[in-house]
Amino acid sequence: MYTHLRLFFTTALVAATCLLNVPVMADEPTQHEAEKVVEGINQAEHKIEHNLEESEEKFNIGQMIMHHIADSHEWEITHGMVLPLPVILYSADRGIEVFSSSNFHNEHHEYNGYHLVHGDAETIVPVDESRVVYDFSITKNVASMLLSAVILILIFTSIAGYYKNSKGKAPKGFHSAMEVIILFIRDDVVKPNVGPKYEKYLPYLLTLFFFILVNNILGLLPGSANVTGNIAVTMTLAVLTFIVVHLNANGNYYKHLVKPDGVPVPLLLIMIPVEIVGVFMKPFSLMVRLFANMTAGHIILLSLFGLIFIFQSIVIAPVISLFALFLNFIEIMVAFIQAFIFTLLSSMYIGSAIEEHSHADHGH
Amino acid sequence: MSLLTPNPGLIFWMLVVFLLVVFILAKFAWKPIIKGLKDRENEIQGALDLAERTRAEMIQLKSDNEKLIAEANAVRDQILRDAKDAADRTILESKDKAAVEAQKMIESAREAIRNEQQVAVTKIRKEVAVLSLEIAEKVLHRELKDKEAQEQLIAELASSARLN
């Protein structure tokens, strides 16, 4: 398997451990601590030897990329630094089961009658195949999403507090930086596209924008999860927008679906299916656009880094790193653009559904 | 394909986390932030409006002042003009009066002169009459002394007179 990558990270980790000599567990007595560090180094060395033996095996870039963009039951910050996440399973016969994913770290990846399958994505399957198990684990993506939720709530409640406390003062600092974005979303995205009744949808659309933005940016950090590049996440967002649109849509919108204005009756046979397909194409395009953009960005970056391990040349590494740096800047831009586009299109869909005058937008 | 298969567990958590975030932010963040922004916008608009109003008031005040000054000037001019008119009129009136008086005096003088003249003429007439009488008396006296001449005259008169 991707032994060179593993070799690289292990070496880096060992070097870091030796240089910094960080105490891993502060609570342990000091003699134990020293023993532990030595033990850890020995283990790492053992791993390096083991990897060297395996180094004939080819570096599989596809597998490496899939591993990095797929969801996981543990958070691998770098190789060797693994944060085990809780596994939550629900089955009709056993009820809710909660245990750490580190329990699967054994020979057969089996624990308590469950088997962790390492494919492109990790899945937990019961050993007894007749049982039906639902996996509600806090995976890497869920944990990252919770982190971004905490970040969002901390940032914006603090800004809200600022507005309460410093009334009648000129804006300054971080608050005014965020204010610019909030005003941009309100005045240039939501207001012109949703129409006069925009204030009702503003909280949802603002949250949508910042949630996508924060998750996009967190996804660019090394060792982070690819939340917005996961189809389940973008699908949920798209479906929520779909629900918001269709709960608030007025009669004109529904009438337009079954009887578009100015269309001759024979053409309705074609127009009605087209209109109805259009209804579902909107959230589908929202889902695919965000998912594909974020995943593609990660794949490009990971492919570039993979090139270093394929060429195995010290000359190629700086070139690739420079190129990856450049692409990382583009990815930062994409993070903003995709959050903006998702919010913009959501506003447009809401706007066209609640539009009062009879000649509504034809969904283009 | 696992990349394109949505994981139900993740959908569940996504829904829970996102809806929670929407709820919490809507209640504790967006509401005060949007209210704050709106308040500030209103404040700024209010301040601008006030400045505009003050400016308009200043302009109004200035124009009022100018009008007052113009009015005062007009009143002053009017007063001056009236005074001048009054003076002129007084002068004119006095001139007229003086002229009339002068005329009157001249008239009365003329009258007096005429009366004097009349008196003088009358006196002269009287005198002339007296003188004529005296002369005539003297002439008569002298003529009547010469009888011959008288007879001659009577004769002449009688010869010239045709007695029918």
Side-chain angles (χ1 to χ4, degrees), chain A residues 104 106-110 115-116:
Chain A
F104 285 115
N106 53 39
E107 284 284 302
H108 307 288
H109 297 296
E110 265 184 30
H115 184 72
L116 184 72

Side-chain angles (χ1 to χ4, degrees), chain B residues 112-158:
Chain B
I113 289 167
R114 217 177 285 137
N115 289 346
E116 290 293 308
Q117 234 173 0
Q118 207 79 24
V119 169
V121 167
T122 321
K123 223 182 227 174
I124 286 167
R125 268 192 198 142
K126 249 184 212 162
E127 209 94 334
V128 168
V130 169
L131 275 177
S132 310
L133 277 179
E134 274 175 9
I135 291 165
E137 207 177 68
K138 272 177 190 164
V139 170
L140 280 177
H141 265 294
R142 214 177 48 196
E143 289 293 305
L144 288 173
K145 269 172 200 169
D146 190 0
K147 264 180 187 173
E148 235 176 288
Q150 276 185 26
E151 278 165 10
Q152 195 183 337
L153 184 61
I154 291 161
E156 255 170 54
L157 284 170

Side-chain angles (χ1 to χ4, degrees), chain A residues 10-35:
Chain A
T10 326
T11 322
L13 188 70
V14 171
T17 323
C18 294
L19 278 173
L20 300 172
N21 199 9
V22 188
V24 180
M25 295 205 177
D27 297 345
E28 293 263 331
T30 41
Q31 71 263 30
H32 283 220
E33 201 179 288
E35 275 172 26

Side-chain angles (χ1 to χ4, degrees), chain A residues 45-116:
Chain A
E45 277 172 352
H46 179 71
K47 257 186 193 161
I48 290 170
E49 278 165 23
H50 182 68
N51 287 338
L52 281 172
E53 281 166 22
E54 280 185 351
S55 67
E56 266 70 52
E57 219 175 314
K58 277 218 164 167
F59 167 62
N60 188 337
I61 187 166
Q63 213 162 17
M64 182 275 279
I65 289 171
M66 285 310 289
H67 172 75
H68 273 83
I69 59 178
D71 206 355
S72 163
H73 281 84
E74 53 192 22
W75 197 330
E76 190 171 14
I77 291 146
T78 65
H79 189 81
M81 267 178 84
V82 175
L83 186 72
L85 295 167
V87 173
I88 302 167
L89 298 173
Y90 175 78
S91 51
D93 48 345
R94 290 206 204 167
I96 296 172
E97 288 169 280
V98 182
F99 54 90
S100 167
S101 69
S102 61
N103 286 321
F104 285 115
H105 288 190
N106 53 39
E107 284 284 302
H108 307 288
H109 297 296
E110 265 184 30
Y111 174 74
N112 209 8
Y114 295 105
H115 184 72
L116 184 72

Side-chain angles (χ1 to χ4, degrees), chain B residues 50-104:
Chain B
L50 185 68
E52 187 56 40
R53 250 197 330 271
T54 314
R55 212 168 63 99
E57 266 168 24
M58 286 297 288
I59 289 169
Q60 182 68 39
L61 219 65
K62 216 172 145 191
S63 77
D64 281 1
N65 280 348
E66 268 162 17
K67 217 188 277 166
L68 275 176
I69 288 169
E71 266 169 25
N73 280 344
V75 167
R76 187 198 61 195
D77 286 354
Q78 186 64 41
I79 289 168
L80 279 177
R81 214 165 29 243
D82 285 357
K84 203 161 171 267
D85 282 357
D88 285 355
R89 214 163 38 239
T90 317
I91 289 166
L92 214 66
E93 266 170 22
S94 354
K95 258 188 196 159
D96 284 357
K97 227 183 249 168
V100 165
E101 205 75 5
Q103 200 66 35
K104 240 188 233 164

Side-chain angles (χ1 to χ4, degrees), chain B residues 31-45:
Chain B
K31 219 163 123 188
I33 287 174
I34 287 161
K35 195 179 159 290
L37 284 172
K38 213 178 258 172
D39 284 354
R40 202 171 62 217
E41 270 159 21
N42 290 343
E43 245 166 60
I44 291 171
Q45 195 56 52

